Amino acid sequence: MDSPSFHELKKQASFFLKEKIKTARLALTDVTPVELLTEEATDEDSWPPDTRTMGLISRSAFEVDDYWRIVDILHKRLWKFDKENWRGSYKALVILEHLLTHGPQRVSEEFQCDKEVIKEMGLFQHVDEKRFNWGLRVREKSDRILKLLDEDQSFLKQERSRARKLTSGIKGFGSFTDRSVEKRLMESRSLICFKSNYDEDHEDEDKNLDYPNHPFQVDEHQDTTRFMT
């Protein structure tokens, strides 16, 4: 039987290999750090994306290039949903919910085409070995996102407003010093440094929901149906 130390060694070797692959992709392809982060946040392991990761992804979605990379990954994860490989799709729902309430308003329109598969995910049933009802958890998340994607957008506007009020009350809410930090992170060629720098420089979560004069940002009270060409 394998010893615990051998299992730990295999885990470390696997992590080392993954990091080498990430570094190679950053150096040799046009992949961006946030693209890798989104892939990692929606993989099939058992760990859900944390708040800092979702905050960084939602902020990066205001940049046009990263927006398309992020939504493409989420589309693919949602459409790969099945009873055997469901964790990545569920984690995509978690990130999508955060994008809908904290990211560009364009996200709601973008994911209208995924409503059927999200509705199908609500039928999922699974109880793990610890008797945790993952089927119920997926169904609750599916129902909430379908409400956020409703065409009249009243619930979406309410939740975006609520999120804005919550974050605007954070002590120390500043002007926009985080943008220089994010620019520095986005230019990083190492995902490890990229994530660690973000954790150090962002002690408060989701301080800036709206980016003024951004092509993805419009007044929610305006009758605007297209945010991008």
Side-chain angles (χ1 to χ4, degrees):
M1 182 179 294
D2 293 336
S3 66
S5 59
F6 180 69
H7 284 299
E8 183 63 28
L9 182 61
K10 288 199 299 183
K11 184 185 298 184
Q12 292 178 3
S14 177
F15 175 80
F16 179 78
L17 179 59
K18 288 179 181 179
E19 293 306 310
K20 284 294 185 182
I21 292 173
K22 291 175 188 176
T23 302
R25 289 182 66 191
L26 284 169
L28 302 175
T29 72
D30 70 343
V31 67
T32 66
V34 166
E35 187 175 3
L36 289 179
L37 188 63
T38 307
E39 290 177 352
E40 186 178 75
T42 56
D43 62 18
E44 285 293 324
D45 71 23
S46 58
W47 296 99
D50 58 35
T51 305
R52 282 187 170 86
T53 295
M54 291 190 293
L56 181 53
I57 291 172
S58 66
R59 287 183 175 90
S60 299
F62 285 95
E63 300 297 331
V64 177
D65 181 56
D66 276 318
Y67 171 85
W68 289 115
R69 293 170 187 263
I70 291 166
V71 300
D72 184 57
I73 292 169
L74 296 184
H75 282 311
K76 290 177 179 177
R77 291 290 193 263
L78 292 174
W79 284 94
K80 284 180 65 176
F81 171 76
D82 61 47
K83 64 180 181 180
E84 300 298 331
N85 301 294
W86 58 272
R87 290 187 183 276
S89 300
Y90 169 69
K91 290 159 75 172
L93 285 183
V94 174
I95 293 176
L96 176 56
E97 178 187 10
H98 197 272
L99 280 173
L100 286 166
T101 55
H102 294 76
Q105 295 178 38
R106 175 71 172 83
V107 174
S108 176
E109 181 181 340
E110 178 68 35
F111 284 87
Q112 291 296 317
C113 62
D114 298 291
K115 289 170 71 172
E116 286 302 316
V117 70
I118 294 172
K119 188 179 299 183
E120 180 184 342
M121 290 177 68
L123 303 176
F124 177 65
Q125 296 184 18
H126 175 64
V127 178
D128 66 15
E129 64 279 1
K130 296 181 180 179
R131 309 306 300 169
F132 185 84
N133 192 337
W134 281 105
L136 177 61
R137 178 62 62 87
V138 174
R139 182 162 64 252
E140 290 172 345
K141 189 66 66 178
S142 171
D143 289 345
R144 174 169 168 78
I145 290 176
L146 289 173
K147 287 181 66 177
L148 290 169
L149 291 174
D150 190 81
E151 291 182 0
D152 72 8
Q153 295 196 338
S154 58
F155 183 66
L156 175 62
K157 291 178 181 179
Q158 173 186 326
E159 291 302 289
R160 286 180 66 88
S161 177
R162 187 171 72 89
R164 188 177 297 110
K165 289 177 182 178
L166 286 173
T167 55
S168 65
I170 295 176
K171 185 177 181 180
F173 181 85
S175 54
F176 210 59
T177 55
D178 286 346
R179 293 206 58 176
S180 62
V181 174
E182 289 182 1
K183 182 178 180 181
R184 191 165 68 247
L185 294 176
M186 294 302 295
E187 293 173 349
S188 170
R189 301 310 291 173
S190 167
L191 187 61
I192 298 175
C193 292
F194 171 70
K195 293 179 68 176
S196 64
N197 286 344
Y198 178 82
D199 288 348
E200 292 172 2
D201 292 329
H202 293 76
E203 296 180 357
D204 295 326
E205 299 302 324
D206 301 326
K207 292 182 179 178
N208 298 287
L209 288 179
D210 296 309
Y211 285 39
N213 302 320
H214 193 280
F216 285 6
Q217 187 63 42
V218 297
D219 187 343
E220 293 185 354
H221 298 291
Q222 292 179 348
D223 182 17
T224 305
T225 58
R226 290 287 180 181
F227 307 147
M228 295 188 300
T229 55

